[in-house]
């Protein structure tokens, strides 16, 4: 009787094992299908924008729209290339502003994050929380006093002034990333460097900075995307065509056509061009981006 009972238990366990494996296999495929569906939903607008950019002007504005171009044309890109001051000028302005925002963000948040993570500053935690409070204040509410101050400093219509605004937008989050990254560096490495005769600056440069490269790249990536896509600050600070960034010229292109409407082909060409740098930089730095966001998350 006991042998029969043991055999029955073994068969039930084996059956449960098969069912569990089948369930896990089905779950894996369901998760894969859900991820594929999300990717399709996210990529569909980008694909539609690219396809609209290679349509003729009439086809791009047709109602109802055609999803696949009936005739392929690069006229929209050619018109955008020579629009107003020219696309190269606006791309150069956007890249210049973004790279300055990256430089300013790193120059400010690297030493500040290191100091907040390592030095015994009185009220350090309270100061850190106070600096992070800027995250809850929309920068749009401060644009008017900033504009008046920048007008006195001759920083309007200046890429440097615009880069300062973009840096201020990004600064609290960048400081949060850098402080957590420095706290994740083992203190024993710094103690060993101090025993070998390094001062604080040498410890920062030789020991800490190589350890927080993923966090620095994360800060740079966020600073670039923030500056590249920012519109309202540039709209307030810039009033000369030769100082416009790419988002401003795309907004202007919506209303300046020979027929008084929107040249959707040219607009979608500009959207396509503006997306390429963000996607390219993200794909190149993806592994650093993920590890930089997780730096300091686990103690």
């Amino acid at each position: 009787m006991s042998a029969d009972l043991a055999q029955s238990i073994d068969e039930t366990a084996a059956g449960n094992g098969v069912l569990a494996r089948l369930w896990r296999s089905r779950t894996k495929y369901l998760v894969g299908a859900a991820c594929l569906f999300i990717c399709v939903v996210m990529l569909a607008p980008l694909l539609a924008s690219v396809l609209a950019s290679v349509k003729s002007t009439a086809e791009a504005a047709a109602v109802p729209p055609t999803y696949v171009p009936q005739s392929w044309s690069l006229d929209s890109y050619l018109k955008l290339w020579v629009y107003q001051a020219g696309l190269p000028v606006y791309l150069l302005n956007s890249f210049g502003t973004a790279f300055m925002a990256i430089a300013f963000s790193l120059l400010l948040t690297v030493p500040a994050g290191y100091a907040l993570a390592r030095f015994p500053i009185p009220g350090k935690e309270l100061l850190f929380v106070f600096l992070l409070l800027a995250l809850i204040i929309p920068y749009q509410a401060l644009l008017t006093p900033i504009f008046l101050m920048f007008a006195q400093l001759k920083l309007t219509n200046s890429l440097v002034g615009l880069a300062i605004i973009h840096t201020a937008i990004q600064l609290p989050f960048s400081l949060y990333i850098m402080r957590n990254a420095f706290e994740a560096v083992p203190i024993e490495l710094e103690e060993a460097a101090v025993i070998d005769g390094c001062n604080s600056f040498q410890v920062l440069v030789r020991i800490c900075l190589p350890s927080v490269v993923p966090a620095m790249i994360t800060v740079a990536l966020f600073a670039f995307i923030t500056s590249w896509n920012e519109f309202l600050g540039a709209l307030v600070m810039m009033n000369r065509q030769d100082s416009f960034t790419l988002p401003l010229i795309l907004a202007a292109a919506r209303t300046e056509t020979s027929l008084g409407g929107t040249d959707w082909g040219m607009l979608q060409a500009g959207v396509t061009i503006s997306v390429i740098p963000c996607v390219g930089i993200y794909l190149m730095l993806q592994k650093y981006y993920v590890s930089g966001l997780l730096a300091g998350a686990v103690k």
Side-chain angles (χ1 to χ4, degrees):
M1 184 69 178
S2 60
D4 294 340
L5 179 60
Q7 183 179 1
S8 176
I9 293 174
D10 291 340
E11 291 176 354
T12 302
N16 290 338
V18 172
L19 291 176
R21 287 195 296 271
L22 289 175
W23 176 255
R24 286 195 296 269
S25 177
R26 185 173 67 174
T27 302
K28 180 176 65 176
Y29 288 116
L30 288 175
V31 171
C35 292
L36 181 61
F37 174 76
I38 293 173
C39 289
V40 170
V41 171
M42 295 298 177
L43 292 176
L46 294 178
L47 179 60
S49 178
V50 174
L51 292 177
S53 69
V54 293
K55 296 177 182 178
S56 63
T57 302
E59 186 180 358
V63 179
T66 57
Y67 296 100
V68 179
Q70 298 177 356
S71 60
W72 299 78
S73 173
L74 296 178
D75 290 343
S76 297
Y77 289 93
L78 296 176
K79 287 188 291 184
L80 182 64
W81 186 266
V82 297
Y83 183 70
Q84 293 188 2
L87 180 63
V89 173
Y90 307 124
L91 286 175
L92 185 61
N93 290 342
S94 293
F95 276 114
T97 305
F99 289 141
M100 282 191 288
I102 291 173
F104 293 161
S105 297
L106 291 176
L107 287 174
L108 291 172
T109 58
V110 167
Y114 179 65
L116 289 171
R118 287 293 186 255
F119 293 166
I121 303 173
K124 179 173 63 176
E125 295 300 326
L126 183 61
L127 176 61
F128 181 60
V129 172
F130 176 76
L131 293 173
L132 291 184
L133 287 178
L135 288 171
I136 67 175
I137 302 175
Y139 79 97
Q140 294 89 343
L142 304 176
L143 278 179
T144 299
I146 290 175
F147 174 79
L148 296 176
M149 180 177 63
F150 278 24
Q152 294 179 352
L153 297 174
K154 308 299 183 182
L155 288 177
T156 56
N157 287 311
S158 167
L159 297 183
V160 175
L162 186 59
I164 292 174
I165 294 178
H166 294 171
T167 303
I169 297 171
Q170 180 64 26
L171 210 56
F173 179 74
S174 300
L175 181 60
Y176 173 79
I177 292 292
M178 293 308 306
R179 194 244 196 178
N180 286 352
F182 281 118
E183 283 190 338
V185 178
I187 191 65
E188 292 80 7
L189 295 177
E190 299 181 38
E191 292 174 348
V194 172
I195 292 174
D196 290 337
C198 291
N199 56 34
S200 297
F201 180 75
Q202 291 172 328
V203 170
L204 172 63
V205 173
R206 298 182 181 181
I207 304 300
C208 293
L209 286 186
S211 302
V212 298
V213 167
M216 294 173 62
I217 292 178
T218 301
V219 169
L221 181 60
F222 271 95
F224 177 85
I225 294 177
T226 299
S227 177
W228 185 264
N229 294 324
E230 201 279 329
F231 172 75
L232 187 58
L235 180 65
V236 172
M237 294 295 163
M238 305 297 188
N239 54 33
R240 292 202 316 259
Q241 289 184 1
D242 58 354
S243 63
F244 284 179
T245 55
L246 193 57
L248 290 183
I249 204 61
L250 293 182
R254 294 185 66 252
T255 57
E256 295 187 15
T257 63
S258 59
L259 300 178
T262 299
D263 189 340
W264 292 107
M266 186 171 68
L267 181 61
Q268 296 303 328
V271 171
T272 302
I273 291 175
S274 67
V275 167
I276 291 174
C278 295
V279 174
I281 291 177
Y282 175 79
L283 292 177
M284 289 188 296
L285 304 178
Q286 181 180 10
K287 63 176 182 178
Y288 299 104
Y289 165 74
V290 174
S291 58
L293 280 181
L294 296 178
V298 179
K299 298 292 184 183

